């Protein structure tokens, strides 16, 4: 088994090195919070990039220890170049020339905490970092991971607007982990390979604002009411499941890194002109009354190419959307907006 893995790895490296760089644009990605629980595994996955999602330069930034993470990553024999940047004085270097900025910076959840409990600390972090993006890489796509995403996306938008750098096609809330969990949990329940499952997840990225559209599952599957309710609840509270299992030692860092890497790779491919790249992500939206809403999005060379919406919902899903998702998500968005303008 080991020899087959080694052969596969060697083949991947050879294919990467033989790939003609002329077929895609040079791509720089900055990870802000790169020495943290999500940032380190995310940076590792991005370092392993290869065509057609090749990242040429990876900037790892944090308040401390980013240079150590970058030094460690730089020893991996993949083509992506890595540089580390520590502290406010080096943030400009991390961001200058970035095509994509991914922001996992912030404090993690602990048992008993909701994502909203992180609000004050993470709100300030996101506001500061997106302000820096407006100054040093105003044309970059920005992917927000820092919780509560339902509020921090609005904060990021207002910070960018203040500095005349807001482009609704280039600001994303990363909700990919909800989709990844839905694929996993439905696959387990129905005996499908999770990699072959598609389950749309729309709305927000916290609790009841997360709405898995099980009626649209591919391959087609039927669910009893109790199965539907249990799966919906587990997908909505998957983060809490991990927080409690780690018993104070952290939150969902590894699965979040995996999901964020998949989103980033999709964005790289789309920015390079590859067609038909879609992701569920939170963007400025007119799908519902919510200013920002996660739905199926076609990505393109400028970021968002088209909001593909949410499709046809079951009666159960329609009720959830109207009575739970929209009211709570609107409240969280307003909280972010009001916080920024009260500073």
């Amino acid at each position: 088994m080991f020899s087959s893995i080694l052969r596969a790895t060697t083949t991947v490296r050879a294919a990467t090195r033989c790939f003609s760089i002329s077929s895609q644009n040079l791509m720089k990605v900055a990870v802000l919070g790169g020495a943290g629980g999500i940032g380190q595994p995310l940076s590792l996955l991005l370092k392993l990039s290869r065509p057609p999602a090749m990242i040429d330069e990876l900037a790892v930034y944090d308040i401390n220890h980013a240079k150590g993470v970058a030094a460690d990553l730089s020893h991996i024999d993949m083509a992506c170049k890595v540089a580390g940047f520590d502290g406010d004085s080096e943030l400009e270097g991390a961001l200058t020339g970035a095509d994509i900025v991914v922001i996992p910076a912030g404090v993690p959840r602990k048992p008993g905490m909701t994502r909203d409990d992180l609000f004050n600390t993470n709100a300030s972090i996101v506001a500061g970092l997106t302000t820096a993006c407006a100054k040093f890489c105003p044309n970059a796509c920005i992917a927000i991971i820092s919780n509560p995403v339902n509020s921090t996306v609005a904060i990021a938008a207002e910070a960018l607007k203040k500095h005349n750098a807001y482009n609704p096609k280039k600001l994303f809330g990363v909700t990919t982990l909800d989709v990844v969990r839905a694929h996993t949990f439905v696959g387990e329940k129905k005996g499908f390979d999770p990699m072959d499952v598609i389950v749309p997840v729309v709305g927000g990225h916290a609790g009841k604002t997360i709405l898995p559209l099980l009626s649209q599952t591919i391959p087609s599957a039927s669910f009893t009411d109790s199965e539907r309710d249990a799966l919906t609840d587990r997908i909505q509270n998957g983060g809490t499941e991990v927080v409690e299992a780690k018993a104070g030692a952290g939150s969902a860092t590894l699965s979040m890194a995996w999901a964020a890497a998949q989103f980033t790779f999709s964005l790289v491919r789309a920015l390079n002109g590859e067609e038909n790249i879609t992701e569920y992500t939170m963007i400025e939206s007119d799908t519902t009354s919510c200013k920002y809403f996660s739905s199926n999005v076609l990505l393109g060379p400028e970021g968002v190419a088209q909001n593909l919406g949410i499709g046809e919902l079951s009666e159960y899903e329609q009720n959830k959307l109207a009575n739970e998702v929209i009211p709570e998500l609107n409240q969280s968005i307003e909280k972010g907006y009001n916080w920024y303008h009260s500073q």
Side-chain angles (χ1 to χ4, degrees), residues 33-307:
I38 296 171
Q40 288 200 45
L42 172 57
S43 296
L44 171 61
L45 292 168
L46 297 180
K47 164 65 175 173
L48 302 180
S49 69
R50 58 185 184 269
M54 184 67 199
I55 296 168
D56 302 277
E57 183 179 351
L58 178 64
V60 181
Y61 169 84
D62 217 314
I63 297 302
N64 294 295
H65 309 305
K67 289 183 178 178
V69 173
D72 196 357
L73 292 174
S74 70
H75 292 187
I76 295 172
D77 56 345
M78 297 294 279
C80 175
K81 297 179 181 178
V82 185
F85 302 85
D86 286 336
D88 291 344
S89 64
E90 298 187 359
L91 183 53
E92 179 178 359
L95 292 175
T96 298
D99 300 284
I100 300 170
V101 179
V102 188
I103 307 181
V107 295
R109 276 204 294 164
K110 296 180 181 179
M113 294 176 68
T114 66
R115 289 181 179 87
D116 209 46
D117 292 331
L118 308 175
F119 182 87
N120 286 328
T121 298
N122 288 358
S124 297
I125 292 170
V126 169
L129 293 176
T130 49
T131 295
C133 291
K135 294 178 180 179
F136 304 128
C137 56
N139 296 316
C141 290
I142 301 173
I144 305 293
I145 297 173
S146 308
N147 277 315
V149 168
N150 290 356
S151 298
T152 53
V153 168
I155 291 168
E158 294 309 303
L160 293 168
K161 288 175 184 177
K162 182 177 180 179
H163 295 86
N164 299 313
Y166 178 63
N167 182 343
K169 293 182 178 182
K170 294 192 172 187
L171 178 63
F172 305 89
V174 180
T175 60
T176 316
L177 180 53
D178 302 321
V179 178
V180 168
R181 286 176 173 144
H183 294 170
T184 301
F185 301 159
V186 169
E188 290 174 350
K189 188 69 177 178
K190 293 300 179 180
F192 300 147
D193 183 337
M195 294 185 69
D196 296 331
V197 176
I198 298 174
V199 183
V201 183
V202 303
H205 183 57
K208 292 182 178 180
T209 69
I210 299 168
L211 181 58
L213 304 182
L214 296 173
S215 67
Q216 298 181 27
T217 297
I218 299 174
S220 181
S222 61
F223 302 91
T224 65
D225 288 354
S226 60
E227 285 178 331
R228 177 202 63 199
D229 292 347
L231 280 167
T232 298
D233 181 74
R234 191 178 181 202
I235 293 164
Q236 289 177 332
N237 295 293
T240 300
E241 181 179 314
V242 175
V243 169
E244 292 177 349
K246 288 189 174 181
S251 58
T253 53
L254 302 178
S255 53
M256 183 65 248
W258 168 262
Q262 303 317 301
F263 178 81
T264 304
F265 290 145
S266 288
L267 198 50
V268 169
R269 292 164 64 191
L271 293 179
N272 275 319
E274 187 173 342
E275 297 180 348
N276 301 317
I277 303 296
T278 61
E279 288 286 346
Y280 283 83
T281 180
M282 183 179 287
I283 60 169
E284 183 177 315
S285 174
D286 58 5
T287 299
T288 68
S289 64
C290 299
K291 178 74 169 177
Y292 306 100
F293 192 88
S294 185
S295 59
N296 194 16
V297 174
L298 177 66
L299 301 173
E302 299 300 319
V304 174
Q306 184 181 355
N307 184 348

